[in-house]
Amino acid sequence: MFDGLEPPNASQNGPTLNAKHLAAWAALTTVLILASIQWGDRPFADFSHDFLARPAAALWLVKIGGAPVLIAAGLLATVAAFASGAKYRPVGRAFATALLAAVLAMLAVIALKQGFGRLWPETWVNNNPSWIANHAFGFYWFHGGVAYESFPSGHTARTLAPCAALWWRMPRLRPLWAALPTLVVLGLLGSNFHFVSDCLAGAAVGLTAALVALRLAPRLRIGR
C-alpha cells in the first residue's frame, strides 16, 4: 500500500507554486470568503438550524476534527511507522510532516480567531450573542473571548492541514485525504457550528500550513 509514496519526480519540498499562482489562489479565496459573508452565511445558518436541526451523524463527523483525536492518531501512526523498520521510514516521515502541518494550523487559528473576533452562528456559552439567537452578526476586531472565535474554523484548518500534507506525501491514499476534511466540514455545517465562510477560511489556513510544513520538513530533517 505504501510503495511509491511520492509521484514521479516529486519534490521533497512539496508542490511548486510561483508568485502568480499564489496571488491568484489568495485572490480567489478572498473573493469566495467575502461573497459567503455577504450572501451565503446567514441563509445557510438559517437553513441548517431550521431544517437540518443538528443531526447526530453531523455531530459524530465533527469529532474527527477534534485536536486530541488528530494529534493522538498522528503520533501513533508516526511512531508505529518508524518502529516498523527502514521500509516504513518514508511513512513515518510523511506522518511527521502531517503533524507539523497540524500544529502550524492550530497556532495560526488561535491567533486569527483573536484578531477577527467573529460571532458564532448559534449561542453556545454564557448566552453569547449569535445570528440564530438574536441576529447578531459581524466581526469585532481583537475582542477576544470564546464568544468571538467563529472565524476561521479550527476544525477545518487542523483537519485539512495534515491531510493536504499527506495528499502530497502519500498520493495513493488521496481519496482518504480528501474525504476526511470534507466529512468534517459537512459535520460542522450540518451542526451549524460554523458559517460557510469560517470553513472556507479554515481550509485556506490548513492548506497554507501544509505548504509551509512541506517546505520546512526537509530543513528539520523530518522530510527526507
Side-chain angles (χ1 to χ4, degrees):
M1 179 195 299
F2 297 116
D3 293 337
L5 288 178
E6 298 186 358
N9 300 319
S11 168
Q12 289 290 328
N13 292 329
T16 301
L17 297 173
N18 59 36
K20 289 183 179 180
H21 290 156
L22 290 172
W25 174 71
L28 176 61
T29 301
T30 301
V31 169
L32 289 174
I33 291 172
L34 292 176
S36 180
I37 292 171
Q38 184 65 34
W39 295 294
D41 285 356
R42 284 164 285 188
F44 190 88
D46 289 334
F47 169 78
S48 180
H49 176 78
D50 295 337
F51 296 100
L52 299 181
R54 201 169 305 145
L59 294 173
W60 278 103
L61 291 176
V62 171
K63 292 181 179 180
I64 299 174
V69 173
L70 285 174
I71 296 300
L75 285 172
L76 181 61
T78 302
V79 172
F82 278 116
S84 298
K87 179 180 179 181
Y88 292 100
R89 284 176 188 166
V91 179
R93 290 193 290 268
F95 278 108
T97 303
L99 273 174
L100 175 61
V103 171
L104 292 175
M106 286 189 284
L107 293 175
V109 164
I110 291 171
L112 291 171
K113 281 180 178 290
Q114 295 300 309
F116 281 101
R118 189 184 198 183
L119 298 175
W120 299 90
E122 298 211 29
T123 296
W124 314 115
V125 181
N126 297 328
N127 295 317
N128 62 278
S130 69
W131 170 249
I132 295 299
N134 44 33
H135 278 204
F137 181 82
F139 295 82
Y140 295 79
W141 306 97
F142 302 102
H143 187 287
V146 69
Y148 298 84
E149 295 184 351
S150 184
F151 185 96
S153 164
H155 278 71
T156 304
R158 64 173 170 259
T159 307
L160 191 141
C163 287
L166 291 170
W167 172 281
W168 185 257
R169 287 284 186 250
M170 301 173 67
R172 291 193 177 186
L173 296 179
R174 280 179 175 174
L176 175 61
W177 311 137
L180 289 175
T182 299
L183 290 173
V184 169
V185 169
L186 290 175
L188 291 170
L189 297 178
S191 304
N192 215 21
F193 285 148
H194 275 290
F195 292 110
V196 174
S197 62
D198 298 340
C199 294
L200 290 172
V205 172
L207 182 56
T208 302
L211 293 173
V212 172
L214 287 166
R215 292 287 176 177
L216 286 178
R219 300 178 185 182
L220 299 176
R221 298 185 181 277
I222 61 175
R224 66 173 81 184

